[in-house]
Amino acid sequence: MERLLVAVCLLSEIFTLSSCLRQYHFVNQSLNWTEAQIYCRQNYRDLATIEDPEELKQLINGVSSAGVGSDVWIGLYNQIHWRWSDGFTGKGADYRNWNTTDSDPDFISANQFCVNIGDGGEWWDRSCGNNFTSICYRGTQLDPELVLVSKSLTWSGAQKHCRENFVDLVSVRNDMENRKIQSLVPQSKRSWIGLFRDPDLFWSDGSSFGFGFWDGGKNVIGSMTVICGVTSVQRSGKWKFLSCDQRLPFVCYSPVTVKVLVKLKLQTDESVDLNDAALKASLQQRFQEELKARGVNAVTLRWSQQSDGRVFQKEKKKKGM
């Protein structure tokens, strides 16, 4: 059994490397993101997933060789769901007063998930790690007493401070409340309010989002609830978000099938016939389960038969042993 486990680990290392390979396919047909997703799923595996710099380089080389410099859809998308820190969902929860002059929320560098208010009453989305003053409240959601916290904190720091010393960061339900909050913001400053959203970055094929290569510009959200990802040769492969309704060429991917022959050396009791059909099936299932437990999926295991139809051969003893 010890040798069996060693063999399983060997299989795991091999298939971890080979099972994640992707082949990219550029499609020079202008579709919206959803249509492109459907096309890729019908003809390949899905819209392109990119999980490391090497995959990005491979994808961009393919698009470049096709002579296309425009934006192309990839499988990335971002769901937009604004929420209030204190959980308020009642009447007025969808009130917004964005600074439309600067096209906010503009999601610069795909890194702005928290909201602050300026001394003119307009709202901006900003990186949650930036430091600003904040507006807390005490009392109740429906009858709040506003409090300015003059110490500059990150959004999560401000939330923690408000919850420990008051109730929470303030929620804003209408123009009247917005003007009251505006009056507390220091001149030429901005203050955190309770509006925020989770990153919610996803790949179309369900892969976990980790690697990112963002363009430093704006990703104008407006009133959209989903925005979709593009890349471009002209931006050296950097990513940004556009309205999913735009019509663009796109990149699909298909998994690369890799065949790996692994020789196993197992030690068993003399009475055990490893070529017994039931035992071979049991061993194969065990290997499959062990690989899956190690996060290695989409792998098909088959026994390789020798010329005599047997899978396992008894090892001959060396002379002098």
Side-chain angles (χ1 to χ4, degrees):
M1 185 58 68
E2 180 180 350
R3 297 199 179 192
L4 173 61
L5 292 176
V6 170
V8 170
C9 290
L10 175 61
L11 279 172
S12 178
E13 292 175 4
I14 292 172
F15 285 111
T16 297
L17 294 175
S18 66
S19 64
C20 297
L21 298 176
R22 294 182 177 90
Q23 181 177 357
Y24 296 108
H25 310 272
F26 171 69
V27 181
N28 195 11
Q29 182 178 349
S30 293
L31 300 177
N32 65 39
W33 191 91
T34 301
E35 292 169 343
Q37 181 192 53
I38 293 171
Y39 180 97
C40 290
R41 288 179 173 179
Q42 289 177 340
N43 295 277
Y44 300 100
R45 172 62 64 83
D46 211 316
L47 275 166
T49 294
I50 308 166
E51 294 190 303
D52 58 53
E54 284 302 315
E55 288 189 339
L56 178 61
K57 181 179 178 181
Q58 180 187 345
L59 184 151
I60 290 301
N61 286 343
V63 175
S64 179
S65 64
V68 175
S70 66
D71 289 324
V72 295
W73 291 127
I74 55 177
L76 186 65
Y77 66 99
N78 178 219
Q79 292 182 337
I80 301 160
H81 175 53
W82 294 105
R83 296 186 289 148
W84 292 104
S85 176
D86 64 358
F88 179 69
T89 58
K91 183 179 179 181
D94 58 351
Y95 172 81
R96 306 287 184 263
N97 194 45
W98 297 112
N99 175 28
T100 55
T101 302
D102 286 347
S103 302
D104 276 75
D106 54 12
F107 197 28
I108 293 175
S109 299
N111 187 36
Q112 296 183 320
F113 301 98
C114 297
V115 177
N116 60 30
I117 182 173
D119 63 348
E122 302 92 350
W123 300 2
W124 287 263
D125 63 331
R126 286 294 178 263
S127 170
C128 303
N130 289 345
N131 290 286
F132 294 99
T133 61
S134 51
I135 308 295
C136 307
Y137 77 92
R138 58 166 63 97
T140 66
Q141 286 181 335
L142 299 180
D143 187 22
E145 179 186 345
L146 306 179
V147 181
L148 169 68
V149 176
S150 57
K151 182 180 180 180
S152 291
L153 299 167
T154 65
W155 189 90
S156 60
Q159 181 192 55
K160 183 174 184 290
H161 181 86
C162 290
R163 288 178 173 180
E164 289 179 346
N165 296 278
F166 306 101
V167 174
D168 210 321
L169 281 164
V170 69
S171 297
V172 192
R173 296 168 295 179
N174 51 54
D175 284 333
M176 183 177 69
E177 289 186 351
N178 198 66
R179 286 192 293 270
K180 289 181 179 178
I181 293 166
Q182 170 191 346
S183 69
L184 294 178
V185 179
Q187 187 174 4
S188 301
K189 299 289 184 180
R190 297 180 189 170
S191 298
W192 290 124
I193 57 176
L195 196 63
F196 76 104
R197 68 187 184 96
D198 295 319
D200 288 337
L201 296 164
F202 303 102
W203 289 108
S204 175
D205 68 353
S207 297
S208 298
F209 180 84
F211 169 73
F213 192 54
W214 302 111
D215 183 274
K218 294 183 177 183
N219 299 280
V220 178
I221 294 173
S223 60
M224 293 181 287
T225 56
V226 181
I227 48 179
C228 295
V230 295
T231 187
S232 168
V233 172
Q234 292 181 345
R235 294 195 307 279
S236 302
K238 291 183 178 179
W239 309 345
K240 69 177 183 179
F241 288 102
L242 297 174
S243 165
C244 304
D245 292 330
Q246 290 200 36
R247 307 189 75 82
L248 299 169
F250 52 96
V251 182
C252 308
Y253 88 89
S254 59
V256 176
T257 301
V258 179
K259 292 184 178 180
V260 180
L261 178 63
V262 179
K263 292 185 178 181
L264 304 179
K265 183 177 180 180
L266 304 179
Q267 184 174 5
T268 65
D269 186 278
E270 291 291 336
S271 63
V272 176
D273 180 10
L274 291 175
N275 286 293
D276 177 76
L279 181 55
K280 286 190 298 182
S282 178
L283 286 171
Q284 185 170 323
Q285 182 179 357
R286 175 68 184 278
F287 279 128
Q288 200 83 49
E289 291 173 351
E290 291 287 348
L291 289 171
K292 186 175 181 180
R294 288 165 170 76
V296 184
N297 299 303
V299 173
T300 300
L301 299 180
R302 294 187 180 90
W303 294 118
S304 178
Q305 292 186 348
Q306 305 297 318
S307 58
D308 59 2
R310 296 168 65 85
V311 171
F312 293 99
Q313 303 287 336
K314 183 177 290 188
E315 186 177 45
K316 295 181 179 179
K317 292 185 178 180
K318 295 181 180 179
K319 292 182 178 180
M321 296 294 291

